[in-house]
């Protein structure tokens, strides 16, 4: 692999694996609100946001860090009143109880409105903040931190028609990754890449360990800890599942703990990381060995997401855990052919799992995909995998990835709309019931 290719892959890794505090969809709205407020120059009196369907779906039920509330409205208010635009996906790091209370007051006063945008983009957010006669507007597109337009009082402050999606040193327009290229990169990774993965392991393991001891969300990870006369065993696979699920519990509960994300998702970053970390702990693997396996895991996930898309009706834990399965194959001494078999096994197992937004039950899905990743790796290491006569699976990993992408982007497009319709209908019924109960008091 050329030096240019190595630099490209590392820059790609650094762009897609970044610290994030809270679910990245409401955080994207908070970031847009924070940027618009900075341009406005003072605290806004009103906030209006328009978001894409997928972003709306992922922001309805997940807790926003530091606020004790769920929803895109509180995310926008917190971003405007307490957000630091320079912190990217950690924009809400400086939220205090006092600022959170002020954000809640703004929401409760009816001064924050979030609506669906007519855009066809899967990831889109625009936030307009107003105070007196002044207004400022920020638009994010295609990536959670990719600002494409900033305005104040109708004057354009910044505009970009190019999404922030291409690292430097490409040499051509072709996508540089493949399973073979990833395997080669991990084997010869520079010290800076290994150090980056060690930092990723440390940050995400802290969230997993916290979830095993604290009370967060559905407490999926903590509830899977075996006790006397339990039906659950205490083996390596069970430990890996509960550690990974516990990390998701922490994140979905809105804890003020950043995690290293992957492809714009903290849950995906956790799923990519904690299976490998857990098994590495149990087998006593050295830090470099674990770091190389994590490179495989994160890069395979990035590779699959390039085709599947940032947001879709397909649960992102599937792609992340597919990467983790390949990382586990690497950790346990398998070769690139075994990694390809792991991908085919995962495609034959959980390809239909839907994404119905970010919420507490994401930890259940992370637990399921992590368990599937372990099974897929074990089958792969035993030289077993389905072939082209099995559903959407093909005889090779790269073709299987393309078929999964076709399913997610084309086949599940209507599924995505149905999921969103169900969620919005539930919200309207809940809001109407709550208002009726309040009026009856």
């Amino acid at each position: 692999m050329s030096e240019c290719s190595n630099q490209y892959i590392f820059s790609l890794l650094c762009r897609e694996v970044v610290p994030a505090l809270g679910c990245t969809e409401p955080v994207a709205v908070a970031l847009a609100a924070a940027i618009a407020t900075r341009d406005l120059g003072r605290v806004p009196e009103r906030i209006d946001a328009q978001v894409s369907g997928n972003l709306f779906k992922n922001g309805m039920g997940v807790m926003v860090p530091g606020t004790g509330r769920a929803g895109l409205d509180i995310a926008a208010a917190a971003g405007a009143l307490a957000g630091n635009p320079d912190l990217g996906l950690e924009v809400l790091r400086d939220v205090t109880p006092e600022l959170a209370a002020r954000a809640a007051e703004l929401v409760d006063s009816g001064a924050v409105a979030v609506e669906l945008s007519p855009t066809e983009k899967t990831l889109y957010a625009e936030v307009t903040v107003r105070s007196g006669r002044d207004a400022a507007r920020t638009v994010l597109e295609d990536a959670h931190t990719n600002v494409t337009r900033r305005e104040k009082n109708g004057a354009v402050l910044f505009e970009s028609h190019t999404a922030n999606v291409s690292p430097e040193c490409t040499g051509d327009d072709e996508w540089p990754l493949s399973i073979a290229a990833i395997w080669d990169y991990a084997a010869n990774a520079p010290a800076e890449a290994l150090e980056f993965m060690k930092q990723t392991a440390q940050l995400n393991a802290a969230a997993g360990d916290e979830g095993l001891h604290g009370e967060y969300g559905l407490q999926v990870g903590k509830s899977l800890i075996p006790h006397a006369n339990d039906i659950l065993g205490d083996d390596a696979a069970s430990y890996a599942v509960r550690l990974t699920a516990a990390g998701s519990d922490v994140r979905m509960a809105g804890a003020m703990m950043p995690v290293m994300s992957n492809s714009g998702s903290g849950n995906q970053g956790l799923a990519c990381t904690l299976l490998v970390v857990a098994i590495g702990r149990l087998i006593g693997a050295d830090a470099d060995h674990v770091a190389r396996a994590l490179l495989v895991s994160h890069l395979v996930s990035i590779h699959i997401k390039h085709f599947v898309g940032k947001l879709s009706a397909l649960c992102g834990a599937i792609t992340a855990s597919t990467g983790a399965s390949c990382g586990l194959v690497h950790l346990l001494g398998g070769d690139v052919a075994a990694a390809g078999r792991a991908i085919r096994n995962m495609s034959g197992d959980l390809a239909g799992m839907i994404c119905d937004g970010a919420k507490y039950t994401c930890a259940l899905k992370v637990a399921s995909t992590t368990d599937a990743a372990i099974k897929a790796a074990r089958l792969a290491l035993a030289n077993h995998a389905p072939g082209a006569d099995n559903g959407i699976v093909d005889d090779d990993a790269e073709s299987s990835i393309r078929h999964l992408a076709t399913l997610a982007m084309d086949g599940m497009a209507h599924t995505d709309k149905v999921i969103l319709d169900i969620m919005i209908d539930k919200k309207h019924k809940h809001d109407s019931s709550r208002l009726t109960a309040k009026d009856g008091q």
Side-chain angles (χ1 to χ4, degrees), residues 1-11 168-172 176:
M1 183 175 289
S2 69
E3 181 63 26
C4 182
S5 296
N6 275 331
Q7 291 174 4
Y8 187 107
I9 292 175
F10 184 64
S11 62
E168 297 178 358
C169 192
T170 59
D172 54 44

Side-chain angles (χ1 to χ4, degrees), residues 239-254:
Y239 172 66
V241 168
R242 62 180 181 260
L243 180 69
T244 309
S248 182
D249 284 324
V250 167
R251 182 171 175 272
M252 292 295 93

Side-chain angles (χ1 to χ4, degrees), residues 205-294:
D209 290 334
E210 175 66 19
L212 290 177
H213 296 95
E215 297 182 355
Y216 297 93
L218 286 181
Q219 301 182 49
V220 176
K222 187 175 183 179
S223 297
L224 293 177
I225 298 174
H227 51 76
N229 301 316
D230 201 339
I231 60 172
L232 297 175
D234 191 16
D235 55 20
S238 298
Y239 172 66
V241 168
R242 62 180 181 260
L243 180 69
T244 309
S248 182
D249 284 324
V250 167
R251 182 171 175 272
M252 292 295 93
M256 293 293 280
M257 290 188 72
V259 302
M260 204 71 90
S261 63
N262 182 291
S263 303
S265 167
N267 272 340
Q268 289 168 206
L270 290 165
C272 283
T273 305
L274 293 182
L275 167 56
V276 174
V277 167
I279 302 302
R281 283 176 173 178
L282 293 176
I283 68 174
D286 65 56
D288 281 359
H289 190 183
V290 172
R292 293 184 194 280
L294 287 174

